[in-house]
């Protein structure tokens, strides 16, 4: 099997945890590193959470390199009201045997990208601060990245504010740097994440699997389901949506368009501005993912999580 080398940049986070557990069971992924960033909760939690999730998934062979503890500029924001003070809603996690590495996330991204000479894929499910620092420090980075899949933004609405999705809102300057970098980018925003959901019967199937990992995923899915977002059917799988897109985009529908980030609007800071009718002044730079085959998405996610305990 030809393995695909990837680095997962994340801010664990309950949905990051499910995305990571699914990724660990994909045999074609060669996960070279996990690079936590401050986001859902401070880096003091997201970095140890990554180690705990590795222990839960029996993948402590994967190294974890800590990244940025604050955005490039502006106010530090988190989503502890959603994810709990520790980022994992206080769920009892195994104590990891591995430790954080000393090398910084942005240096690891560059080192791996250069060594792999264009084969490295990035999957980003948190604020894009680590990637922006890597771009600032290593301007040649884009030519060594095969693909970047981002969970963030939204064409029509937000969740951190009426205009902005949390990952982009947490560091709009970093997101704009990344979108202007020239890297091949696919953006899984709220438009598709609200469609990539688990229904009650899917969560019940997770609970019936019997493994600790499935029980963990089911409990976190029930939390998402209990929040009952208006107009959303089921429990949205934000970061697992981006992870499954990175694994197999064939079950998704996307459109090529221009995307920029609003950084100065009083009411719109952090909004991803999308132009699906790009002209010569706005060259399309992003594959904006808009829809998913929901039953197939749920089937594949449950299959991956169901690998635990088999």
């Amino acid at each position: 099997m030809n393995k695909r080398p990837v680095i997962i940049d994340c801010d664990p986070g309950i949905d990051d945890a499910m995305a990571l557990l699914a990724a660990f069971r994909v045999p074609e992924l060669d996960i070279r590193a996990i690079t936590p960033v401050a986001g859902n909760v401070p880096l003091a939690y997201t970095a140890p959470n990554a180690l705990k999730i590795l222990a839960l998934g029996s993948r402590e062979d994967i190294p974890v390199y800590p990244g940025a503890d604050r955005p490039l500029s502006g106010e530090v924001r988190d989503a502890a009201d959603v994810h709990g003070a520790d980022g994992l809603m206080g769920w009892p996690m195994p104590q990891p045997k591995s430790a954080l590495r000393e090398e910084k996330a942005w240096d690891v991204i560059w080192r791996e990208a250069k060594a792999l000479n264009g084969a490295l894929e990035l999957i980003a499910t948190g604020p894009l601060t680590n990637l922006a620092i890597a771009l600032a420090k290593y301007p040649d980075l884009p030519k060594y990245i095969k693909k970047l899949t981002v969970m963030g933004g939204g064409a029509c609405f937000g969740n951190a504010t009426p205009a902005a999705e949390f990952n982009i809102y947490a560091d709009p300057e970093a997101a704009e740097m990344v979108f202007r970098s020239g890297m091949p980018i696919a953006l899984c925003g709220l438009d598709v994440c609200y469609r990539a959901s688990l229904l009650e019967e899917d969560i019940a199937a997770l609970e019936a699997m019997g493994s600790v990992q499935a029980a963990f995923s089911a409990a976190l899915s029930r939390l998402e389901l209990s929040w009952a977002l208006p107009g959303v059917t089921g429990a949205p799988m934000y970061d697992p949506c981006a992870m499954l897109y990175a694994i197999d985009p064939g079950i998704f529908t996307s459109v090529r368009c221009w995307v920029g980030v609003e950084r100065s609007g009083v009411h719109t800071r952090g909004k991803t501005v999308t132009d699906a009718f790009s002209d010569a002044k706005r060259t399309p730079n992003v594959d904006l993912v808009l829809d998913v085959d929901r039953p197939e998405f749920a089937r594949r996610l449950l299959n991956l999580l169901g690998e635990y305990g088999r």
Side-chain angles (χ1 to χ4, degrees), residues 184-295:
I185 297 173
L187 184 63
C188 295
L190 299 178
D191 315 278
V192 65
C193 292
Y194 284 172
R195 299 175 184 272
S197 61
L198 296 185
L199 305 182
E200 167 62 37
E201 55 264 35
D202 301 317
I203 300 172
L206 266 179
E207 291 169 331
M209 289 176 184
S211 70
V212 173
Q213 297 84 357
F216 171 79
S217 300
L220 300 184
S221 298
R222 285 213 177 276
L223 280 174
E224 292 281 4
L225 190 63
S226 71
W227 290 322
L229 295 166
V232 178
T233 301
M237 295 288 105
Y238 303 97
D239 295 344
C241 175
M243 186 64 69
L244 261 67
Y245 179 88
I247 294 165
D248 180 12
I251 62 172
F252 295 83
T253 302
S254 63
V255 60
R256 188 75 176 162
C257 64
W258 180 91
V259 175
V261 180
E262 175 59 56
R263 287 152 291 150
S264 59
V266 173
H267 302 292
T268 56
R269 177 170 166 79
K271 177 175 176 55
T272 46
V273 180
T274 59
D275 180 4
F277 303 97
S278 305
D279 58 25
K281 294 180 181 178
R282 286 188 168 180
T283 304
N285 64 312
V286 168
D287 290 319
L288 180 66
V289 186
L290 293 174
D291 205 355
V292 62
D293 180 337
R294 195 216 66 81

Side-chain angles (χ1 to χ4, degrees), residues 119-166:
L120 180 66
E121 300 179 40
L122 302 174
I123 303 169
T125 60
L128 298 175
T129 316
N130 288 344
L131 302 188
I133 294 173
L135 287 166
K137 190 171 182 180
Y138 305 105
D140 286 346
L141 178 63
K143 71 181 183 182
Y144 294 105
I145 299 299
K146 182 176 182 180
K147 182 180 180 182
L148 166 62
T149 300
V150 174
M151 189 278 121
C156 300
F157 43 80
N159 60 358
T161 74
E165 179 276 330
F166 175 78

Side-chain angles (χ1 to χ4, degrees), residues 32 66-67 78 100-101 169 221 234 263 273-274 301:
R32 309 291 287 230
D78 65 37
L100 297 173
R101 304 297 178 93
Y169 184 62
S221 298
R263 287 152 291 150
V273 180
T274 59
L301 180 59

Side-chain angles (χ1 to χ4, degrees), residues 17-47:
M18 288 184 64
L20 287 168
L21 288 173
F24 296 161
R25 307 306 295 183
V26 180
E28 64 264 32
L29 292 187
D30 174 16
I31 305 174
R32 309 291 287 230
I34 294 174
T35 53
V37 64
N40 287 321
V41 287
L43 185 69
Y45 290 104
T46 62

